[in-house]
Amino acid sequence: MEAIFTRIDQLIDQAIQAALINERDRVYCRNQILGMLNMDFFIESNQDQTNKSIPGLLNDILEYAIENEVIADVLDEKEVFCANIMNCFLSKPSEISDKFYQLYQKGPEEATNYFYQLSKDSNYIQTERIAKNIHYQTTTKYGDLDITINLSKPEKDPEQIKRERQMKQTINYPKCLLCAENEGYVGRTGHPARSNHRIIGLELADEDWFFQYSPYVYYNEHSIVFSKEHRPMTITKGTFERLTSFVEQFPHYFVGSNADLPIVGGSILSHDHYQAGNYTFAMTKAEDEFTFDLEQYPDIQAAVVRWPMSVIRLRSENRTSLVDAADLILKNWRAYSDSSVDILAYTEDTPHNTITPIARMRDGNFELDLVLRNNRTSEKHPDGIFHPHQDVHHIKKENIGLIEVMGLAVLPPRLKEELEAVQAFLVDGKTNVEEYHQVWANDIKHKYKDITNTNVESIVHDELGKKFVTVLEDSGVFKSNSRGKAAFKRFLLSLK
């Protein structure tokens, strides 16, 4: 019994050290936590200092709550309980927003540093779960690509799945996972706990938007920028205006949007939103393949990027001119067809062409990458002509969204054990591997003559990187061969 009181005090100590609260708030926070544990007394303890993190201490208190039947051992109840505890240590949204903008006056980086640290300290960003992810870089002909096997999101237990199936989905609040109404929302079966969630208001091109961090960050300061209005994602001239407005306000960040069509779009197309962050992807470092002129916009530097997907890069000090040039390319691409390379703009009234845009500031210029996308399917490629093809589905068959486009592979958790089996097979020649990996494993074994326990992991990492390159090449509308380059140049001529 006394251990729980020690853990509560230690959690409060850690919250004070993280500057979430100060000593004056100790009794208040203690009493709030006691109430959540259905306890009406407290025993003072001479607790020792602990090296445990906030998530670790929170987990100890969670285990006590489960053992003493305060909550059920079910995912959603556990998430709600932990978020409610951490909410005790957080200021109201208006106070956090005020501090953010006070720091912004000193500099945008000071403001985002504060909010990012707060989001981690409050356990909204799930740092300990994210630490489980496997992440490394691998060198390819297109630069150092990032490979991540996503192990951070908790699996739903059978009781959780049962509850979700039995629940009648009649609640329409918040409308989706991105709506501003999630801020402080306690959560329910089928909708995550957000008591410890805080967002920052922004103005982008005369519209009200919000800024938050992703609870499961894939890269440094992985953030979400989303519209106050719950409206579908669309790529328009307004998109380019808002993206460039964001990087003008936060020049140390990039920001980009998923495409707005199925197959090539993101996982949430129902709410207009972007992803941002303070990270340099391989695509950002990619050099120009060749430059070209946009006659209507002589102040724009335009180039095709040396990248497995089809990327046009625009640079200019003039934001208005840059937005107009991007809109010209978007409108032309929406209507462009070239059947010789399987590009059709429409099937009857169904559109196929769109763009994945990414904005950043570089050397005082606005820079806008426009990644050309097409979501056609065929009998040979039912998942998408410009989508990972069957021969790479054993590694990646999901949509290629903004993050992958820039050079970060987000791979499914099944690969952790499956790749371990592949490595064992490469060394001993006997370990069973999944059937869909067998051809790949055999190819690697024949390719390398001396595979040992010492080098097998690096070999598999390199070969996995090559597979990801193929994934990106499959997704490019204009291939990196002579035929594809000629087709790309025909499109560029249509812009004049």
Side-chain angles (χ1 to χ4, degrees):
M1 171 67 77
E2 289 187 12
I4 185 61
F5 301 125
T6 298
R7 290 292 178 263
I8 292 171
D9 261 347
Q10 289 173 334
L11 179 62
I12 293 169
D13 287 343
Q14 294 288 58
I16 291 171
Q17 288 181 29
L20 292 173
I21 59 171
N22 59 45
E23 184 62 38
R24 174 65 181 83
D25 302 313
R26 179 182 292 276
V27 173
Y28 166 83
C29 293
R30 173 198 296 164
N31 287 335
Q32 292 294 302
I33 297 170
L34 290 175
M36 291 177 212
L37 290 169
N38 297 334
M39 301 177 77
D40 52 13
F41 69 99
F42 184 79
I43 299 174
E44 296 280 356
S45 61
N46 295 318
Q47 84 272 13
D48 296 326
Q49 293 292 323
T50 179
N51 291 324
K52 283 200 171 189
S53 64
I54 286 176
L57 292 165
L58 195 58
N59 191 61
D60 289 345
I61 296 172
L62 174 65
E63 289 180 2
Y64 173 90
I66 294 169
E67 289 170 5
N68 289 271
E69 300 182 349
V70 176
I71 62 169
D73 190 5
V74 180
L75 177 62
D76 276 345
E77 287 199 31
K78 293 187 288 187
E79 301 285 271
V80 166
F81 179 80
C82 290
N84 279 339
I85 286 183
M86 292 312 301
N87 190 44
C88 295
F89 304 120
L90 283 175
S91 300
K92 292 183 177 65
S94 60
E95 295 167 350
I96 289 172
S97 183
D98 286 347
K99 183 168 182 179
F100 180 91
Y101 279 108
Q102 287 169 9
L103 291 169
Y104 185 88
Q105 298 307 309
K106 299 179 181 178
E109 288 190 62
E110 292 204 38
T112 54
N113 287 346
Y114 154 72
F115 190 45
Y116 189 52
Q117 191 61 48
L118 177 79
S119 299
K120 290 190 290 185
D121 290 338
S122 66
N123 204 47
Y124 179 73
I125 295 178
Q126 302 280 334
T127 53
E128 291 210 348
R129 290 179 184 172
I130 294 163
K132 297 177 183 177
N133 290 345
I134 296 170
H135 181 266
Y136 64 92
Q137 288 190 329
T138 183
T139 300
T140 73
K141 60 184 177 180
Y142 297 105
D144 293 337
L145 302 185
D146 293 288
I147 307 293
T148 294
I149 298 177
N150 181 19
L151 303 172
S152 57
K153 292 187 179 180
E155 293 185 10
K156 294 181 179 180
D157 50 76
E159 179 61 27
Q160 174 71 27
I161 295 169
K162 177 183 174 183
R163 289 186 182 192
E164 290 186 15
R165 285 176 177 168
Q166 291 176 341
M167 187 180 69
K168 295 180 180 179
Q169 299 289 345
T170 57
I171 302 173
N172 194 31
Y173 179 89
K175 289 187 178 70
C176 78
L177 295 174
L178 290 178
C179 284
E181 288 77 18
N182 283 282
E183 186 176 39
Y185 188 68
V186 173
R188 62 177 188 269
T189 299
H191 193 101
R194 291 290 183 259
S195 294
N196 58 336
H197 178 39
R198 300 293 185 268
I199 60 181
I200 302 295
L202 300 174
E203 184 178 296
L204 299 179
D206 299 321
E207 286 189 357
D208 290 330
W209 282 61
F210 291 98
F211 170 77
Q212 68 175 70
Y213 288 102
S214 170
Y216 295 99
V217 296
Y218 288 134
Y219 52 83
N220 187 49
E221 298 176 54
H222 180 185
S223 40
I224 312 295
V225 183
F226 61 99
S227 171
K228 180 179 180 180
E229 179 187 355
H230 179 78
R231 68 189 188 202
M233 282 189 65
T234 54
I235 304 299
T236 65
K237 182 179 181 180
T239 305
F240 307 137
E241 290 173 338
R242 290 186 290 272
L243 294 178
T244 51
S245 173
F246 180 87
V247 296
E248 187 173 47
Q249 295 176 58
F250 300 95
H252 59 300
Y253 272 21
F254 81 90
V255 64
S257 174
N258 273 305
D260 55 356
L261 294 179
I263 297 178
V264 296
S267 57
I268 302 178
L269 295 178
S270 61
H271 196 123
D272 207 0
H273 72 284
Y274 314 134
Q275 295 183 75
N278 188 4
Y279 189 72
T280 303
F281 293 88
M283 192 180 83
T284 309
K285 301 176 186 176
E287 298 178 350
D288 296 349
E289 183 74 29
F290 62 87
T291 61
F292 63 95
D293 293 327
L294 290 170
E295 292 180 358
Q296 298 180 50
Y297 303 98
D299 57 342
I300 298 287
Q301 299 175 42
V304 168
V305 178
R306 189 174 297 133
W307 191 246
M309 298 186 71
S310 306
V311 185
I312 295 172
R313 179 166 289 168
L314 306 178
R315 305 180 184 95
S316 181
E317 293 181 351
N318 187 328
R319 181 178 157 222
T320 300
S321 184
L322 190 81
V323 167
D324 288 344
D327 187 46
L328 169 72
I329 293 169
L330 174 66
K331 287 176 178 175
N332 275 267
W333 178 243
R334 291 274 195 202
Y336 188 78
S337 294
D338 184 344
S339 59
S340 71
V341 285
D342 293 321
I343 295 170
L344 297 179
Y346 289 91
T347 300
E348 297 179 349
D349 294 329
T350 302
H352 295 305
N353 289 350
T354 187
I355 279 175
T356 299
I358 302 107
R360 66 184 72 87
M361 298 295 298
R362 178 141 50 181
D363 299 328
N365 288 325
F366 291 94
E367 191 168 87
L368 198 55
D369 286 349
L370 306 176
V371 188
L372 307 181
R373 312 297 301 274
N374 178 287
N375 77 342
R376 284 188 64 221
T377 60
S378 66
E379 186 174 339
K380 182 179 180 181
H381 300 296
D383 297 302
I385 297 172
F386 305 104
H387 180 83
H389 293 168
Q390 290 277 341
D391 62 321
V392 294
H393 281 187
H394 66 108
I395 295 298
K396 177 78 172 177
K397 66 180 294 185
E398 296 81 9
N399 289 7
I400 301 306
L402 172 68
I403 295 174
E404 284 89 359
V405 163
M406 293 186 290
L408 192 162
V410 181
L411 303 178
R414 63 176 172 83
L415 285 179
K416 179 180 183 295
E417 292 185 359
E418 292 175 8
L419 293 179
E420 289 172 355
V422 168
Q423 290 179 27
F425 167 78
L426 292 174
V427 173
D428 63 26
K430 299 181 293 185
T431 300
N432 289 328
V433 301
E434 293 290 345
E435 185 177 350
Y436 44 75
H437 289 312
Q438 192 65 63
V439 171
W440 181 55
N442 289 340
D443 287 345
I444 297 172
K445 195 162 184 63
H446 286 112
K447 181 177 178 181
Y448 296 87
K449 302 306 179 187
D450 183 25
I451 301 178
T452 66
N453 285 319
T454 303
N455 65 11
V456 66
E457 183 178 66
S458 64
I459 287 171
V460 171
H461 282 185
D462 286 344
E463 293 300 317
L464 192 62
K466 291 172 184 174
K467 279 285 181 180
F468 182 48
V469 167
T470 302
V471 164
L472 296 179
E473 289 174 336
D474 287 347
S475 304
V477 293
F478 296 115
K479 305 307 180 188
S480 298
N481 52 32
S482 57
R483 183 163 165 257
K485 290 177 181 178
F488 206 155
K489 289 179 179 178
R490 286 198 297 273
F491 170 66
L492 298 178
L493 287 172
S494 76
L495 302 176
K496 298 188 183 294

